[in-house]
Amino acid sequence: MRRKFLNLTSILGSVVISVLSLTIAYKYAQAGSSSYPKTCRNERIFYINGTNTTKLSAVCINVKGLPFASEIDLLGITNKNGKLIQNPLVGTTSFFTTCTAINVNYGVLSAYCKNLNGKYLSNAIRLEEISNYDGHLHYEINKVIDETASKIGHGHAYPKHGNEFATLSHSPTQGVMTKIAKDILNSNATNAQSKPFGQGKRAFWGVISPSHYLPGTSSNKGTVVIVDPANSDTGTMFVPSNGLQYYNNLR
C-alpha cells in the first residue's frame, strides 16, 4: 500500500511539473522568444567597427547532428533612454555603442545601457524569433510580422483609426485591421516602401483598398504603419490626410 501511495504521489508530482513546464513554455512562446538556444551553444555578441553592425554568433547543430559555426546580424535592438527595446522589423541595431557589459546567454541579452542622464541601467531581454535552421541562425520574420500586425490591429489603432479603413457599408474589425497591417508590413500593397526613423522605429507605406478586405466600395487608401517597440501596441496604423507626403516627412 505504501509503495502504491508513493507511486501515485510521484505520478501526481510529474503531472504538476509537466503542467508548469507547459505553462512556462507557452508564456515564452507568446513572447516570441528565440528557439535557437535549444540546439546552439557558445553564443557571443560582437560589434563590427565602422559598420554599425552587431552580430550574434553561435555553434549550432545541423540536421546531420554536426556542429556548425553560424552568425547573424542582430536586427532592431535599440537603447532608448537606458532601456533596451527590440523588434526585428525596425532593421537597424544601435545599442552597442551606448551599452556596456554586454552578454548573451541562452537567448537572453543582458547589458548596462546609458540613459539621458548618463546613468547606466541594467537590462535583460529575450532575443526575438531567432531559430536554428540546419545549423544556420535565422530570423523567423514571418512570425515577427504576424505578431506585430496582430498587436497593432488589436491595439489603440483600432478605436482611433478604424473608421479610416471603412467601406461605404462596412466598418473594419480588429481582424481586418490586422490583415491590412500584415499586408503593408509584407509589402503586399501598391507603392510599398519602408524606412527607419526616430529612435528605434520604422515606418511602412503602401496603398490598399478597404474593399479588398470588406464588402462594399471604397477609394484607395494610402496607409502608414509605424513599428515602435517602445509602444505597448508595438506601433500604430492610419491613413494620413496628406498621404505620401506624411511618410516622406518622417525623419
Side-chain angles (χ1 to χ4, degrees):
M1 177 65 75
R2 179 176 174 80
R3 181 175 294 175
K4 288 182 179 179
F5 176 76
L6 288 174
N7 287 341
L8 179 60
T9 302
S10 184
I11 291 170
L12 289 174
S14 298
V15 170
V16 170
I17 290 171
S18 297
V19 170
L20 287 174
S21 298
L22 286 172
T23 302
I24 292 170
Y26 176 76
K27 175 183 176 183
Y28 286 138
Q30 289 295 93
S33 57
S34 296
S35 61
Y36 79 87
K38 297 176 182 177
T39 53
C40 300
R41 294 294 180 266
N42 301 331
E43 301 159 275
R44 186 170 70 93
I45 284 182
F46 59 97
Y47 177 75
I48 300 179
N49 290 324
T51 66
N52 199 29
T53 300
T54 303
K55 290 182 175 286
L56 168 70
S57 67
V59 177
C60 300
I61 303 300
N62 65 14
V63 293
K64 296 180 179 180
L66 300 174
F68 188 86
S70 179
E71 63 182 45
I72 191 172
D73 290 357
L74 286 178
L75 301 177
I77 303 176
T78 304
N79 169 19
K80 189 163 187 177
N81 194 22
K83 180 181 180 181
L84 287 176
I85 57 174
Q86 72 171 321
N87 185 302
L89 297 181
V90 171
T92 56
T93 286
S94 59
F95 74 95
F96 208 92
T97 56
T98 55
C99 298
T100 188
I102 299 168
N103 188 43
V104 61
N105 190 34
Y106 291 100
V108 176
L109 170 64
S110 60
Y112 286 87
C113 299
K114 186 189 291 186
N115 67 10
L116 297 177
N117 296 323
K119 183 179 179 180
Y120 283 84
L121 304 180
S122 176
N123 284 265
I125 61 171
R126 288 189 174 274
L127 296 176
E128 291 185 0
E129 297 297 1
I130 301 175
S131 64
N132 170 14
Y133 183 76
D134 192 17
H136 297 270
L137 292 170
H138 170 78
Y139 267 106
E140 300 283 355
I141 290 297
N142 287 337
K143 289 184 180 179
V144 177
I145 289 175
D146 287 347
E147 292 163 3
T148 303
S150 181
K151 288 180 180 179
I152 292 174
H154 288 78
H156 75 273
Y158 175 67
K160 188 174 182 179
H161 301 291
N163 64 319
E164 298 168 13
F165 299 94
T167 64
L168 291 177
S169 57
H170 286 76
S171 296
T173 61
Q174 291 173 319
V176 167
M177 295 282 282
T178 297
K179 289 179 181 178
I180 294 173
K182 183 177 178 179
D183 279 348
I184 299 291
L185 295 176
N186 265 318
S187 298
N188 292 331
T190 304
N191 194 24
Q193 51 192 294
S194 73
K195 65 179 181 182
F197 80 102
Q199 188 177 19
K201 296 186 284 189
R202 191 173 194 92
F204 294 77
W205 167 266
V207 179
I208 59 95
S209 173
S211 58
H212 176 73
Y213 307 89
L214 292 166
T217 58
S218 71
S219 58
N220 290 339
K221 306 285 186 179
T223 302
V224 168
V225 175
I226 292 177
V227 175
D228 179 8
N231 187 295
S232 60
D233 298 333
T234 320
T236 189
M237 60 187 292
F238 54 93
V239 178
S241 58
N242 55 342
L244 184 59
Q245 183 181 345
Y246 179 94
Y247 170 83
N248 289 335
N249 289 340
L250 292 173
R251 296 289 184 268

